[in-house]
Amino acid sequence: MFGFKKKQNRQPSASSVHDDEKRKEGVIHEENISSSTGYDRDIFVPPTDKELRRLMWKIDLRIIPFIAVLYLCSFLDRVNIGNAKVAGLVEDTNMTEDEYNWGLSIFFIGYIIFEVPSNLALKWMGPKIWITTIMLIWGTIMAAMSCVKTGGGLMAARFFLGAAESGLYPGVLFYLSKWYTRRQQALRIALFFSSSTLAGAFGGVLAYGIVHMDGIRGLHGWQWIFIIEAIPTLVFGLLTYFVLPDYPDRTPFLNEREREIIVRRLVEDAGPATETHFSWNQVIKAFLDWKVYIYAILFVCGSICVYSLAMFMPSLIRGMGYSDLSAQLFSAVPYAIGFVTTVSTGYSTDKLGERGFHLAIPGFIAAVGYILLICLKDSGSTALFISACLTAAFAFSTNSPLASWFSNNFGGETKRNVAIATVLTIGNSGGAISGHIYRADDAPHYLRGHKICLSLMVFHSVLAIVMKGLLYLENRRRDKLTPEQHRIACEGEELCDKHPDFRYIL
């Protein structure tokens, strides 16, 4: 049975049994690849390195710049309210500071409520149709925000803006997992997310120019900010239907050979976690997985710091002693630096195949920035501005290793989809909190907000190291399973990432 000759009349060793089981699993896995891809493994010719590089470059050029622009529109539309405030939104509408802060926070309430349903809708409708739909909706809402007259109107508009935007970020993370292997995703996510830093830089410069339109056609500068910055969202929303490819197994963007290469690589990368069908069992498993909640806590800590900086950066810089117009312009600089650090971190994350330390180290550096903002409050605007640049640059660069980490470590298509959306749903509650971190009565130095963010960033970095250690111990436990333990662990259906052959990326 195990390949030994009968005349030897001896029992097979445990290691031989385990090796034989592995060989059998290899055959089964190859059969799974064949059935999952719909291609015949016997006639498949693996791509050469040159062919694979050419194919990945083709895919990268088609997908990554476009989704980066989509997220630039998304992030610009959610944080341009900070520029609108400096341009006179609060004074012209006679809203209170509390109403304004709730206007910031309520965006994330809509975002949180609709995040999981949006990802399920994405799986049902496909990325091309779903992303087109939500972008047209939120672009329309953004333009309509120019008609806001009261704090209540602002809160209503921001709630529905959050509901519409909730489908993009988690949807793109899931979408990228359908095109790239786990070790290819961090750099692509970094390039995608780095557009948010460009949005901050571009938004500050753009707002600086738009504010000079104050009075044209009887509209205030902040109204023109909402109108003009809605136009790219509407244009690219329409283009999405024609430009963004659907999933690789059915897109006409690739030929038959290219589709086969991509689909097989993804199935092989998934290992035993090859479940692609919709399953309520996987939905339940996603909600019961402890990793979801550790990643969510990490995301909460990071999002509070990132969003509070993004929405209050012009106000923070104005508090350093700069004029309103200068604050709009100078708010672009921290984001420009953040773009470089975000892409560099993503590249290193993929190159080294590591996640935890790439999350913790930028977090500790951002914490140093917060310490400088607190300690140098009386040292002049230049020292404070440099500290803000350091803080923002490294706070932003924590996103790509975290996003790729949790999207890498859930197996099974439905479970991964729901897990990603759940992490982001809980995590974006930090965005709702972020609107109350920097209060007007803390101006001009905002020390209370800096101290809160400092504590969160230190906790965030320590927890990242703890999470890395826990996943290391689980991988090591699976490596040490005896053949009998391995056999028992393989029993059951839809094991996803709980399969003993699945290894977590650290």
Side-chain angles (χ1 to χ4, degrees):
M1 179 179 179
F2 296 102
F4 292 97
K5 297 178 182 179
K6 288 186 177 180
K7 65 180 182 180
Q8 291 176 317
N9 194 27
R10 64 182 181 186
Q11 293 296 320
S13 67
S15 60
S16 298
V17 174
H18 191 55
D19 290 343
D20 194 57
E21 286 179 351
K22 285 292 187 180
R23 285 193 294 272
K24 289 180 180 179
E25 286 166 8
V27 173
I28 292 172
H29 181 52
E30 284 297 317
E31 291 172 353
N32 287 339
I33 292 174
S34 182
S35 62
S36 298
T37 62
Y39 300 109
D40 188 344
R41 67 186 177 89
D42 293 330
I43 61 174
F44 176 73
V45 178
T48 63
D49 290 343
K50 182 178 180 181
E51 182 184 13
L52 184 60
R53 282 196 302 271
R54 187 186 302 117
L55 174 57
M56 297 314 301
W57 184 241
K58 174 182 178 180
I59 294 170
D60 285 341
L61 287 179
R62 179 65 175 267
I63 292 177
I64 302 304
F66 191 76
I67 62 171
V69 171
L70 299 188
Y71 195 59
L72 185 150
C73 294
S74 170
F75 205 82
L76 186 64
D77 290 346
R78 78 178 65 170
V79 302
N80 60 10
I81 190 169
N83 299 110
K85 181 187 181 185
V86 173
L89 167 66
V90 174
E91 293 80 4
D92 292 338
T93 57
N94 295 315
M95 70 177 69
T96 66
E97 282 292 333
D98 279 342
E99 286 176 323
Y100 172 77
N101 287 336
W102 276 110
L104 300 182
S105 297
I106 204 168
F107 170 93
F108 295 97
I109 295 175
Y111 201 101
I112 289 165
I113 292 173
F114 289 96
E115 206 155 15
V116 173
S118 290
N119 249 27
L120 293 175
L122 171 72
K123 183 171 175 61
W124 174 56
M125 296 177 65
K128 191 162 62 172
I129 296 175
W130 179 244
I131 293 177
T132 296
T133 302
I134 61 175
M135 288 193 69
L136 292 178
I137 292 172
W138 98 58
T140 303
I141 294 171
M142 173 54 54
M145 282 177 62
S146 63
C147 300
V148 163
K149 303 295 184 184
T150 64
L154 177 68
M155 285 187 275
R158 290 279 295 178
F159 175 84
F160 289 108
L161 182 67
E165 285 200 34
S166 67
L168 184 67
Y169 186 71
V172 168
L173 292 185
F174 176 73
Y175 177 72
L176 291 176
S177 75
K178 297 286 288 181
W179 281 92
Y180 298 98
T181 63
R182 291 188 295 161
R183 293 187 181 275
Q184 290 179 319
Q185 290 174 28
L187 176 58
R188 275 80 182 182
I189 291 173
L191 292 169
F192 162 66
F193 182 78
S194 65
S195 63
S196 66
T197 61
L198 287 182
F202 178 67
V205 175
L206 185 61
Y208 177 80
I210 294 174
V211 166
H212 287 87
M213 297 176 63
D214 187 73
I216 296 178
R217 294 189 175 273
L219 298 177
H220 297 290
W222 62 266
Q223 292 176 298
W224 282 115
I225 288 175
F226 290 143
I227 293 170
I228 291 178
E229 294 186 1
I231 294 173
T233 299
L234 295 169
V235 171
F236 282 97
L238 289 172
L239 287 176
T240 296
Y241 184 80
F242 302 99
V243 176
L244 190 68
D246 262 324
Y247 299 129
D249 58 338
R250 61 175 181 260
T251 178
F253 160 63
L254 302 178
N255 60 40
E256 188 74 12
R257 164 71 174 169
E258 292 169 336
R259 283 196 293 270
E260 182 178 11
I261 292 171
I262 294 301
V263 172
R264 286 182 63 91
R265 277 172 55 81
L266 292 173
V267 174
E268 290 170 355
D269 180 64
T274 56
E275 299 86 354
T276 59
H277 58 285
F278 178 82
S279 166
W280 284 110
N281 184 37
Q282 290 186 43
V283 173
I284 294 171
K285 286 184 175 181
F287 286 125
L288 296 178
D289 194 323
W290 64 272
K291 300 191 303 297
V292 167
Y293 302 101
I294 299 296
Y295 285 130
I297 293 171
L298 286 168
F299 205 92
V300 167
C301 296
S303 64
I304 290 174
C305 298
V306 167
Y307 282 122
S308 61
L309 286 171
M311 291 187 290
F312 288 96
M313 185 62 75
S315 297
L316 295 176
I317 293 176
R318 182 173 60 180
M320 296 173 188
Y322 295 93
S323 67
D324 288 355
L325 283 177
S326 295
Q328 299 277 23
L329 187 61
F330 280 105
S331 67
V333 178
Y335 293 105
I337 300 172
F339 173 80
V340 176
T341 57
T342 299
V343 174
S344 300
T345 302
Y347 175 80
S348 176
T349 300
D350 261 359
K351 186 74 172 177
L352 300 177
E354 198 280 334
R355 303 292 188 259
F357 290 143
H358 281 81
L359 179 59
I361 293 172
F364 283 126
I365 297 175
V368 171
Y370 282 115
I371 292 172
L372 292 175
L373 285 170
I374 295 167
C375 296
L376 300 179
K377 64 182 180 68
D378 297 320
S379 299
S381 57
T382 301
L384 288 172
F385 182 70
I386 293 173
S387 301
C389 289
L390 178 70
T391 305
F394 285 94
F396 271 93
S397 65
T398 61
N399 186 275
S400 61
L402 177 56
S404 61
W405 202 9
F406 64 72
S407 63
N408 288 168
N409 281 341
F410 295 103
E413 190 170 296
T414 302
K415 182 180 179 182
R416 182 170 66 250
N417 196 344
V418 174
I420 289 172
T422 305
V423 170
L424 295 176
T425 295
I426 299 172
N428 276 305
S429 63
I433 297 169
S434 67
H436 300 273
I437 294 297
Y438 292 110
R439 310 285 296 184
D441 53 2
D442 291 330
H445 299 303
Y446 299 97
L447 295 183
R448 179 169 55 182
H450 293 328
K451 290 175 182 177
I452 293 171
C453 290
L454 168 61
S455 302
L456 289 170
M457 195 55 75
V458 171
F459 177 74
H460 170 274
S461 300
V462 172
L463 184 58
I465 296 173
V466 171
M467 183 61 166
K468 181 182 177 72
L470 292 174
L471 295 178
Y472 168 79
L473 292 175
E474 177 59 20
N475 282 351
R476 189 177 178 188
R477 184 190 69 81
R478 295 182 184 187
D479 289 337
K480 292 184 175 182
L481 290 177
T482 66
E484 179 63 17
Q485 290 172 330
H486 183 274
R487 182 190 64 78
I488 294 172
C490 289
E491 294 176 351
E493 297 180 354
E494 298 184 323
L495 295 175
C496 303
D497 53 275
K498 299 299 183 182
H499 194 286
D501 289 338
F502 187 95
R503 294 295 180 272
Y504 296 111
I505 291 181
L506 307 178

